[in-house]
């Protein structure tokens, strides 16, 4: 890349963090429910519904905060519907998750029709005083939406929660061996539902971030596979929060690379560049899955399996 | 409180009733939705359940939507029975259309009138190739087939977009992103003059027959199903899970590719960026609602086509968004999954402790 100046590199880093944050939030949410043993293929649908819920609320109230809350609530509500089906009615987790994705795609398009032409109020700027004015590091790291920092904090918090706290241990026990957790007297199904709803709320925040901040407008199907990429990330990260964040930034980098290449006037049709994030997700999946034992050791043992408590 | 307990034997009545019950629930929610939108629910129901059946023309249009859904649904049912989660039929459909279109564009005025057979074969090949990538990556590298097949949907859509905006763009097409209109020799023959219904319907029904026999009467079909139901037992019996993976994916890819070819060389008659219509995703619901059974799939495909046509009518006549179709499809699958619970379990009232 020839014409890459320090300024454009700083902007590239900033854009990478921004794009990575979307998938990081969703993937961290999915990680919580997968650690509890529930596989939710409905991320794409939850994010779409949250994207329109957040956007509609943002347009109506003029408040981003309310928009994010609506997004998180919508995500959690969708997840709750899925959770009740798979946890209490023991429906197939794959099929139910797919149903959630298909339903979410339809519902969001249906609800969003009247918002396609509407505009959000003026966007606020989030520059951290002093730090944002530093050369290079300022524009690269310190002029972000608070969610970019939230994703980092969440990663650290979640690592601590899962590995060092008692409730985190219970959550992992529920995902590794629900029978043992049940025998110890923990309400396995209630814990799983809470985990699924927490995951849904985070996917909801990610969805609302897309429509309120990332590309501040509403277009049908605008999540464009980021939910599925978030799902791939949890496997890529072998269910560790820090690796999820790293993977998300890698993905963000690839996504931004396509715009960068286009900006450089590289003579490639835009479609080949748009393919890059999807292709690189496949490549990474292949690289990471080559060793099946490694995946099996790290995967929550009861992932995707229903749990029937005895008498 | 209520408690679910397993039934000794699955309830046969409920096995057959649960799709109907699910449909009833979906209709009820639909009626509520129409009321909430301030539209006449009766007019809405008529759009979805009466209009698509009212005339020869309507039935012909219904057949155009049901054909790809039956074909793709059959292939997916084989995959799902073998516990292989091919979610990317939409991409295999698009690649089928691309390959078929690539051949169809080469038809000339002197081409034989069976040229369309080559076009469809190319479609089958395209779908199979796209599914083969999934099978290869799963087989060699253990890569999750759900995610790989899905990512390939986006890739296939971009390939199509590249072709119709780029090298395959019709030079006389006023700069619209579309290929030339295919010549008659490359088009799938129609069954009746004046109607768009074509020989694809016959192929879909033939496929139903062939797959019923394959799944119920052949050793390979039996091996596939055992592999899905009890992988350990299949291993013990020496059934190859690798062969099951390749068979199921190539078969479903071929079916989706054929559907794509039929759509491109049938009602569309050219390639445009609007070839991906969601049939690949709709067919997932078709397969489940049809109980993963070939005959059931015919019924559920017809029902799902009614949803598609009803959605289009609701858009043009009632001013409702077309996305209503997706809402109903998703609701139907949810309702079905919930109803299915009661096939193997019963709900009992147990006094709280």
């Amino acid at each position: 890349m020839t014409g890459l100046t320090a300024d454009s590199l700083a902007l590239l880093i900033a854009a990478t963090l921004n794009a990575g944050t979307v998938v990081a939030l969703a993937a961290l949410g999915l990680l919580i429910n997968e650690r509890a043993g529930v596989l939710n293929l409905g991320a794409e649908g939850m994010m779409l519904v949250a994207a329109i819920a957040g956007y509609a609320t943002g347009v109506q109230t003029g408040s981003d905060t309310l928009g994010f809350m609506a997004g998180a609530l919508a995500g959690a509500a969708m997840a709750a519907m899925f959770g009740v089906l798979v946890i209490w009615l023991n429906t197939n987790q794959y099929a139910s998750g797919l149903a959630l994705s298909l339903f979410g795609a339809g519902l969001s398009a249906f609800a969003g029709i009247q918002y396609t032409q509407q505009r959000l109020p003026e966007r606020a700027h989030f520059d951290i005083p002093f730090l944002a004015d530093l050369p290079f590091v300022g524009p690269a790291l310190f002029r972000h939406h608070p969610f970019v920092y939230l994703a980092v904090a969440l990663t650290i918090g979640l690592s601590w929660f899962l590995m060092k706290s008692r409730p985190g241990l219970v959550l992992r026990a529920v995902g590794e061996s629900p029978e043992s957790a049940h025998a110890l007297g923990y309400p396995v199904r209630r814990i799983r539902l809470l985990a699924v709803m927490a995951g849904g709320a985070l996917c909801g925040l990610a969805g609302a971030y897309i429509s309120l901040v990332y590309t501040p407008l509403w277009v049908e199907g605008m999540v464009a596979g980021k939910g599925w990429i978030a799902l791939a990330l949890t496997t890529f990260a072998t269910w560790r929060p820090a690796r999820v964040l790293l993977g998300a930034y890698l993905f963000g980098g690839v996504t931004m690379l396509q715009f960068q290449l286009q900006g450089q006037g590289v003579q490639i049709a835009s479609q080949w560049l748009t393919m890059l994030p999807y292709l690189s997700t496949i490549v990474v999946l292949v690289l990471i899955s080559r060793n099946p034992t490694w995946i099996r050791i790290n995967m929550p043992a009861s992932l995707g399996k229903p749990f029937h408590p005895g008498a | 409180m209520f408690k679910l307990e397993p039934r000794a034997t699955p309830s046969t009545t409920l096995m057959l009733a649960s799709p109907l019950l699910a449909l009833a629930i979906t209709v009820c929610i639909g009626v509520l939705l129409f009321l909430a939108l301030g539209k006449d629910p009766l007019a809405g129901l008529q759009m979805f359940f009466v209009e698509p059946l009212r005339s020869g023309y309507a039935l012909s249009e219904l057949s155009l939507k049901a054909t790809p859904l039956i074909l793709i649904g059959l292939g997916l049912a084989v995959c799902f029975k073998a516990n292989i989660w091919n979610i990317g039929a939409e991409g295999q459909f698009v690649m089928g259309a691309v390959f078929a279109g690539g051949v169809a564009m080469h038809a000339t005025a002197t081409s034989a009138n069976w040229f369309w057979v080559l076009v469809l074969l190319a479609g089958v090949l395209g779908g199979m190739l796209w599914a083969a990538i999934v099978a290869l990556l799963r087989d060699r590298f253990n890569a999750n087939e759900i995610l790989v097949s899905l990512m390939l949907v986006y890739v296939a859509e971009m390939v199509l977009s590249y072709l119709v905006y780029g090298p395959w763009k019709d030079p006389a097409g006023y700069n619209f992103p579309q290929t030339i209109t295919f010549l008659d020799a490359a088009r799938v023959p129609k069954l009746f003059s004046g109607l768009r219904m074509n020989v694809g319907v016959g192929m879909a029904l033939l496929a139903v027959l062939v797959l019923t026999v394959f799944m119920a009467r052949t050793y390979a079909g039996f091996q596939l199903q055992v592999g899905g139901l009890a992988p350990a037992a299949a291993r013990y019996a020496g059934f190859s899970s690798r062969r099951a993976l390749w068979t199921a994916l190539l078969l479903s890819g071929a079916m989706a590719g054929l559907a794509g070819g039929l759509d491109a060389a049938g009602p569309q008659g050219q390639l445009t960026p609007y070839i991906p219509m969601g049939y690949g995703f709709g067919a997932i619901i078709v397969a489940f609602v049809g109980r993963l059974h070939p005959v059931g799939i015919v019924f559920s495909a017809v029902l799902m086509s009614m949803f598609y046509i009803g959605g289009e009518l609701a858009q043009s006549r009632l001013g409702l968004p077309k996305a209503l179709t997706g809402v109903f499809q998703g609701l139907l699958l949810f309702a079905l999954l919930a109803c299915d619970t009661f096939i193997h379990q019963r709900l009992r009232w147990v006094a709280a402790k």
Side-chain angles (χ1 to χ4, degrees):
Chain A
M1 260 188 279
T2 43
L4 190 61
T5 60
D7 282 350
S8 65
L9 182 64
L11 288 178
L12 186 63
I13 293 171
T16 295
L17 294 181
N18 194 18
T21 297
V22 176
V23 275
L25 286 173
L28 289 170
L30 294 170
L31 184 137
I32 299 175
N33 55 99
E34 289 178 20
R35 280 286 189 148
V38 183
L39 181 69
N40 187 351
L41 297 183
E44 185 81 6
M46 296 193 293
M47 286 170 76
L48 276 167
V49 170
I52 184 58
Y55 192 78
T57 311
V59 167
Q60 299 289 352
T61 64
S63 154
D64 270 17
T65 316
L66 287 176
F68 283 121
M69 282 167 66
L73 276 177
M78 293 275 287
M81 190 162 80
F82 164 84
V84 169
L85 275 176
V86 301
I87 299 168
W88 269 273
L89 297 183
N90 295 323
T91 60
N92 180 312
Q93 294 189 10
Y94 290 101
S96 310
L98 286 171
L100 191 69
S101 268
L102 295 168
F103 174 69
L107 184 66
S108 62
F110 177 68
I113 285 256
Q114 50 180 321
Y115 288 98
T116 40
Q117 299 299 330
Q118 297 208 34
R119 291 264 159 264
L120 280 170
E122 190 61 34
R123 322 295 312 138
H125 282 278
F126 300 96
D127 295 358
I128 296 178
F130 179 66
L131 289 176
D133 301 327
L134 292 174
F136 189 71
V137 255
L141 300 179
F142 299 113
R143 291 184 191 170
H144 287 292
H145 189 269
F147 273 28
V148 173
Y149 313 110
L150 174 78
V152 179
L154 196 66
T155 305
I156 299 169
L158 198 58
S159 292
W160 176 84
F161 172 79
L162 286 171
M163 295 325 227
K164 300 272 191 250
S165 82
R166 198 179 163 78
L169 179 71
V170 174
L171 183 81
R172 283 190 294 141
V174 161
E176 292 293 342
S177 173
E179 292 78 16
S180 320
H182 179 69
L184 287 171
Y186 291 109
V188 171
R189 295 191 292 195
R190 214 177 309 154
I191 293 171
R192 284 192 162 178
L193 183 67
L194 282 177
V196 166
M197 287 177 67
L202 279 176
C203 284
L205 280 185
Y209 186 76
I210 294 178
S211 62
L212 287 169
V213 180
Y214 187 66
T215 28
L217 50 89
W218 166 254
V219 185
E220 196 180 319
M222 70 184 300
V223 173
K226 291 190 187 68
W228 298 106
I229 287 169
L231 263 165
L233 267 183
T234 58
T235 311
F236 165 74
T238 54
W239 297 272
R240 311 265 163 90
R243 291 188 196 156
V244 163
L245 192 66
L246 185 76
Y249 289 152
L250 265 172
F251 166 79
V254 175
T255 310
M256 282 309 129
L257 196 64
Q258 49 160 309
F259 295 118
Q260 184 71 25
L261 287 173
Q262 266 165 336
Q264 301 281 324
V266 176
Q267 291 300 312
I268 305 177
S270 67
Q271 287 91 351
W272 302 118
L273 298 172
T274 312
M275 255 181 231
L276 273 179
Y278 307 108
L279 282 178
S280 50
T281 302
I282 295 179
V283 171
V284 167
L285 257 176
V286 164
L287 289 178
I288 215 76
S289 313
R290 273 193 313 177
N291 186 347
T293 359
W294 195 50
I295 294 275
R296 212 175 306 134
I297 289 168
N298 287 291
M299 186 165 83
S302 73
L303 185 60
K305 298 188 187 110
F307 168 69
H308 316 258
Chain B
M1 54 179 219
F2 284 110
K3 201 168 178 311
L4 278 175
E5 51 186 46
R7 292 176 194 270
T9 49
S11 157
T12 333
T13 330
L14 264 172
M15 196 126 56
L16 295 170
S18 119
L20 297 176
L21 196 59
L23 179 61
I25 294 174
T26 310
V27 169
C28 288
I29 298 178
V31 167
L32 291 178
L33 200 59
F34 276 108
L35 287 174
L37 293 166
K39 307 279 177 185
D40 177 10
L42 279 179
L45 288 179
Q46 197 188 356
M47 296 287 143
F48 282 88
F49 295 105
V50 181
E51 293 288 329
L53 304 171
R54 246 165 67 135
S55 61
Y57 174 78
L59 287 172
S60 150
E61 292 299 302
L62 192 69
S63 79
L64 288 180
K65 299 232 179 320
T67 299
L69 289 173
I70 292 174
L71 288 170
I72 307 171
L74 286 170
L76 290 182
V78 172
C79 279
F80 296 162
K81 279 215 161 176
N83 215 7
I84 293 157
W85 294 86
N86 174 15
I87 306 304
E90 183 79 3
Q92 293 142 24
F93 176 90
V94 170
M95 281 326 260
V98 164
F99 272 60
V103 171
M105 289 190 326
H106 286 89
T108 58
T110 55
S111 294
N113 56 6
W114 48 265
F115 192 86
W116 59 273
V117 178
L118 293 180
V119 172
L120 291 186
L121 285 175
V124 169
L125 184 70
M128 275 174 106
L129 276 176
W130 216 237
I133 303 176
V134 182
L136 181 75
L137 297 184
R138 169 74 202 263
D139 184 17
R140 287 290 305 277
F141 304 109
N142 192 39
N144 181 306
E145 77 274 16
I146 299 179
L147 297 166
V148 172
S149 63
L150 240 153
M151 292 298 134
L152 286 175
V153 174
Y154 297 96
V155 176
E157 288 179 353
M158 282 304 127
V159 170
L160 170 69
S161 161
Y162 167 71
L163 291 170
V164 296
Y165 278 95
W168 288 4
K169 187 154 76 178
D170 179 4
Y174 303 101
N175 218 19
F176 279 113
Q178 57 191 30
T179 63
I180 53 165
T181 311
F182 307 146
L183 294 179
D184 276 346
R187 301 283 297 265
V188 184
K190 292 174 183 160
L191 290 179
F192 307 100
S193 63
L195 297 178
R196 298 203 297 168
M197 184 187 222
N198 62 41
V199 294
V201 182
M203 293 181 196
L205 294 178
L206 187 67
V208 171
L209 204 67
V210 171
L211 275 165
T212 310
V213 173
F214 174 74
M215 289 310 268
R217 291 274 177 271
T218 66
Y219 193 49
F222 174 70
Q223 287 182 327
L224 269 175
Q225 300 188 49
V226 175
L229 280 171
R235 261 197 308 280
Y236 187 68
F239 298 167
S240 161
S241 64
R242 289 185 60 191
R243 199 167 49 199
L245 174 80
W246 280 95
T247 313
L249 273 167
L250 288 183
L251 184 80
S252 65
M255 304 286 267
L258 175 62
L262 279 170
D263 203 45
Q268 308 283 346
Q270 63 184 165
L271 295 181
T272 68
Y274 311 108
I275 288 276
M277 292 227 344
Y279 288 137
F281 294 113
I284 297 173
I285 304 180
V286 165
F288 277 109
V289 175
R291 318 258 73 158
L292 305 184
H293 187 283
V295 179
I297 285 171
V298 175
F299 285 108
S300 65
V302 170
L303 175 66
M304 207 63 65
S305 313
M306 288 162 71
F307 281 5
Y308 275 111
I309 293 178
E312 284 165 15
L313 289 174
Q315 181 180 35
S316 61
R317 298 203 196 155
L318 298 179
L320 289 171
K322 201 166 134 189
L324 211 54
T325 304
V327 178
F328 282 139
Q329 289 180 345
L331 277 176
L332 182 68
L333 185 49
F334 271 132
L336 180 84
L337 289 169
C339 291
D340 276 1
T341 306
F342 302 103
I343 293 174
H344 295 282
Q345 295 165 95
R346 74 174 87 235
L347 201 59
R348 278 266 303 269
W349 175 260
V350 183
K353 276 185 269 190

